[in-house]
Amino acid sequence: MKHLIWICFSALFLSACGDTNNQYQSKEQAQQALQTLNQFLRPTGEIKQVNEQQFPFSDAYLKERHSIYQAMQTLDFTPVAQSSLDYLIIAERFPERYFTWPVYIPVLDNMLAYNQQHDITANINNWLSFTQQQLVLAKESKLRLNSIELNALQTQVTKNLTRVDLPANIKHTLNEFNEYLALYTPRGSVGLHGLSNGGSWYQSKLNYFSGTTKAPINWLVAVQSQLKEMQQGAYSMRFAVDHQHSVLEQRFALSKDKQVGFDWAQNYLSLRSYAGQAATQISNQERTFWLAMMETDLGIHYHAWTVQQAKVNLLKRLKMTPQQVDYLVAEIIFYPAQSFAFATLLTTS
């Protein structure tokens, strides 16, 4: 029944999001279109007027996102910007759409903040039901959240259930979702290789963030060749309390050179460009850090390491506390292959 409600809800807006002839005069205009679309995933300021397109991974959202990508292909981009667009277009074929609530993003908080000024309670309810339905459909396609993702999602749901300003009907729907998650069985492997088509998805991420095409096993040989010459290092970077912004983005948070990107998960920044510029100037301690992150990334997403194996490897390579290592393992699970933005470390000394 709820699935039928969502279909009807989507149909009301499809006519408003089908302008496939929408063209942009610059990459900044295209970026603005993506920022508007992704307001609940990555607010870039006060959330503006919302319609069904903005509800992550709904049918209308996917249709509008595809239309934006197609229109962007008419623009003359730099190679860096073009590779970012190509990466996002390739990602359309992978199963991200089944996991409509990225577990490291406070999507519901963002919706409820907007709801305080503009009543979209019914829309939020429909999206929560849709999110649960997509998880059900995902399981039928042998796609499941892993244990780290499930725990992060349950934490967000539980936190929102304690809100005193939570509308009663949303609380009811959220309680139903919480009960569903309590009975949910996560997949055994925490890495992308545990998903159907996950190996290809991981390869596309490696290709994009490294800027070159190389098989995971070849990357591993190159990383471990450098690491064997490095001593256990202490890297003093302070991490955020959550994972809304990746460690790679946190590394460049104070950068004044805000290069335009198109990926909401990178906060619309060109993180690969930042890392490429920084790679020739970093300390040996930071070099060890990013090489250890790459090795563990490959271990989790390619070799199907367990969470414990990943923690042991990071503790072997880095002088960090168990709490910091816990954070980094979750980071690698939430942001696969981002550490390979520093892949030029494998060719610089």
Side-chain angles (χ1 to χ4, degrees), residues 37-107:
L37 180 69
N38 291 310
Q39 288 181 97
F40 288 139
L41 289 169
R42 181 71 67 188
T44 54
E46 182 181 355
I47 294 179
K48 304 293 173 54
Q49 184 176 357
V50 166
N51 60 36
E52 200 273 336
Q53 296 168 5
Q54 278 80 39
F55 285 81
F57 304 102
S58 65
D59 290 342
Y61 171 94
L62 293 175
K63 183 175 181 179
E64 177 67 6
R65 187 182 67 175
H66 181 73
S67 295
I68 293 172
Y69 291 167
Q70 294 302 303
M72 288 170 66
Q73 292 192 80
T74 66
L75 292 174
D76 184 18
F77 287 139
T78 65
V80 170
Q82 185 63 51
S83 68
S84 178
L85 176 59
D86 292 343
Y87 165 68
L88 294 173
I89 290 174
I90 290 171
E92 288 187 281
R93 74 183 67 161
F94 295 116
E96 184 182 40
R97 64 190 176 277
Y98 284 108
F99 306 113
T100 65
W101 186 341
V103 301
Y104 49 91
I105 297 294
V107 182

Side-chain angles (χ1 to χ4, degrees), residues 46-324:
E46 182 181 355
I47 294 179
K48 304 293 173 54
Q49 184 176 357
V50 166
N51 60 36
E52 200 273 336
Q53 296 168 5
Q54 278 80 39
F55 285 81
F57 304 102
S58 65
D59 290 342
Y61 171 94
L62 293 175
K63 183 175 181 179
E64 177 67 6
R65 187 182 67 175
H66 181 73
S67 295
I68 293 172
Y69 291 167
Q70 294 302 303
M72 288 170 66
Q73 292 192 80
T74 66
L75 292 174
D76 184 18
F77 287 139
T78 65
V80 170
Q82 185 63 51
S83 68
S84 178
L85 176 59
D86 292 343
Y87 165 68
L88 294 173
I89 290 174
I90 290 171
E92 288 187 281
R93 74 183 67 161
F94 295 116
E96 184 182 40
R97 64 190 176 277
Y98 284 108
F99 306 113
T100 65
W101 186 341
V103 301
Y104 49 91
I105 297 294
V107 182
L108 184 55
D109 294 73
N110 296 337
M111 291 179 179
L112 291 172
Y114 183 84
N115 194 58
Q116 290 178 351
Q117 303 296 326
H118 312 272
D119 185 10
I120 56 168
T121 301
N123 300 17
I124 295 173
N125 259 331
N126 284 324
W127 182 80
L128 287 170
S129 296
F130 173 69
T131 295
Q132 181 173 327
Q133 291 154 13
Q134 287 297 93
L135 288 177
V136 172
L137 291 173
K139 287 198 295 184
E140 295 174 0
S141 300
K142 303 187 186 306
L143 299 167
R144 291 177 179 267
L145 296 168
N146 63 45
S147 57
I148 300 295
E149 293 166 335
L150 176 60
N151 181 66
L153 185 53
Q154 287 177 305
T155 298
Q156 288 212 52
V157 169
T158 301
K159 182 195 72 173
N160 275 286
L161 281 171
T162 65
R163 292 177 61 136
V164 296
D165 62 342
L166 190 66
N169 47 355
I170 292 180
K171 186 171 185 177
H172 176 76
T173 305
L174 200 58
N175 266 315
E176 288 185 346
F177 188 38
N178 196 37
E179 291 170 3
Y180 170 78
L181 293 176
L183 300 174
Y184 188 96
T185 303
R187 70 178 190 268
S189 172
V190 295
L192 285 185
H193 252 279
L195 292 173
S196 176
N197 213 21
S200 298
W201 198 5
Y202 184 52
Q203 183 70 64
S204 75
K205 291 178 179 291
L206 281 175
N207 295 349
Y208 169 71
F209 283 106
S210 69
T212 189
T213 301
K214 188 181 294 186
I217 188 62
N218 294 333
W219 280 121
L220 185 63
V221 170
V223 170
Q224 292 185 332
S225 176
Q226 292 237 347
L227 275 171
K228 70 180 181 181
E229 302 174 4
M230 311 293 289
Q231 295 182 340
Q232 186 187 46
Y235 180 45
S236 60
M237 180 178 175
R238 298 180 65 180
F239 305 127
V241 296
D242 57 34
H243 294 274
Q244 289 188 58
H245 303 276
S246 70
V247 168
L248 185 62
E249 185 190 341
Q250 292 173 47
R251 165 64 171 79
F252 298 106
L254 300 179
S255 175
K256 296 179 181 178
D257 179 21
K258 296 300 183 184
Q259 301 179 51
V260 175
F262 304 126
D263 184 6
W264 67 263
Q266 298 179 69
N267 204 11
Y268 307 107
L269 302 172
S270 182
L271 296 178
R272 190 179 73 183
S273 297
Y274 292 160
Q277 293 167 12
T280 59
Q281 304 171 23
I282 66 174
S283 65
N284 284 336
Q285 290 79 8
E286 187 178 1
R287 175 187 291 270
T288 301
F289 172 81
W290 288 111
L291 290 171
M293 289 288 283
M294 290 183 222
E295 181 185 37
T296 309
D297 198 296
L298 290 162
I300 289 174
H301 295 294
Y302 178 67
H303 282 300
W305 283 1
T306 65
V307 169
Q308 187 58 33
Q309 286 175 306
K311 291 179 181 179
V312 168
N313 189 69
L314 286 173
L315 286 170
K316 178 181 72 174
R317 299 294 190 188
L318 304 171
K319 291 180 180 178
M320 288 191 163
T321 67
Q323 292 75 23
Q324 289 173 317

